[in-house]
């Protein structure tokens, strides 16, 4: 699977990928796995932001590809941590302006306000299925 773009070499040698079904309960499982990985890197102070970002990205992926597979990508790059979600949709996300009473549509705005950098790109998984990765980076 193509990975999160790196801005520095992964000095810590820490990059992980975990697969999940594109189902609502996977959003919770992704947050739990992120908690475990971030704690293993002794970066607990990042947990609130990482979990918020992944909640938004995973929720979007589940909505885009119900019943298919998604993947969590996590990378510790020495000076930053990047997280991303792969899904099999090629439709790229965008920030939207939403009415105050809107019940959805703020996910990418939340990611943009929480992360130091974010983006998306087309990517294939190990089975050559085309999709995309939506990622965010937090500087340490």
């Amino acid at each position: 699977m193509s990975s999160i773009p790196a801005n520095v070499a992964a000095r810590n040698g820490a990059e992980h990928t975990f697969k999940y079904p594109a189902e609502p309960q996977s959003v919770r499982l992704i947050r739990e796995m992120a908690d475990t990985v971030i704690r293993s890197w002794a970066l607990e102070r990042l947990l609130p932001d990482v979990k918020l970002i992944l909640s938004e990205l995973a929720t979007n992926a589940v909505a885009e590809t119900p019943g298919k597979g998604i993947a969590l990508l996590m990378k510790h790059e020495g000076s930053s941590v990047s997280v991303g979600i792969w899904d099999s949709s090629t439709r790229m996300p965008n920030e939207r302006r939403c009415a105050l009473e809107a019940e959805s549509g703020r996910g990418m705005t939340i990611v943009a306000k929480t992360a130091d950098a974010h983006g998306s790109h087309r990517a294939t998984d190990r089975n050559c299925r085309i999709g995309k990765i939506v990622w965010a980076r937090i500087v340490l």
Side-chain angles (χ1 to χ4, degrees), residues 66-116:
K68 297 186 178 180
I70 60 176
L72 164 64
L73 298 93
M74 299 186 70
K75 189 175 193 177
H76 187 272
E77 302 169 301
S79 63
S80 65
V81 168
S82 295
V83 295
I85 300 289
W86 178 90
D87 69 53
S88 61
S89 171
T90 57
R91 190 168 74 155
M92 295 298 173
N94 56 43
E95 290 181 50
R96 298 186 288 186
R97 291 188 176 258
C98 297
L100 289 175
E101 64 277 0
E103 294 183 14
S104 64
R106 294 181 184 85
M108 291 311 297
T109 300
I110 291 169
V111 170
K113 298 288 185 193
T114 307
D116 293 299

Side-chain angles (χ1 to χ4, degrees), residues 7-56:
N7 62 349
V8 296
R11 289 188 290 264
N12 296 26
E15 185 170 356
H16 303 286
T17 302
F18 306 95
K19 295 179 182 178
Y20 299 89
E23 300 172 351
Q25 61 268 26
S26 292
V27 176
R28 178 184 51 81
L29 298 173
I30 286 169
R31 282 193 309 266
E32 290 172 358
M33 181 57 70
D35 187 281
T36 299
V37 172
I38 292 294
R39 288 180 189 280
S40 78
W41 293 338
L43 295 171
E44 289 86 351
R45 71 184 189 283
L46 300 182
L47 282 171
D49 289 345
V50 167
K51 287 179 166 183
L52 176 61
I53 289 166
L54 285 173
S55 290
E56 298 301 332

Side-chain angles (χ1 to χ4, degrees), residues 121-132:
H121 63 275
R122 296 199 191 287
T124 57
D125 70 1
R126 289 191 172 104
N127 297 318
C128 297
R129 291 179 298 187
I130 297 172
K132 68 175 174 298

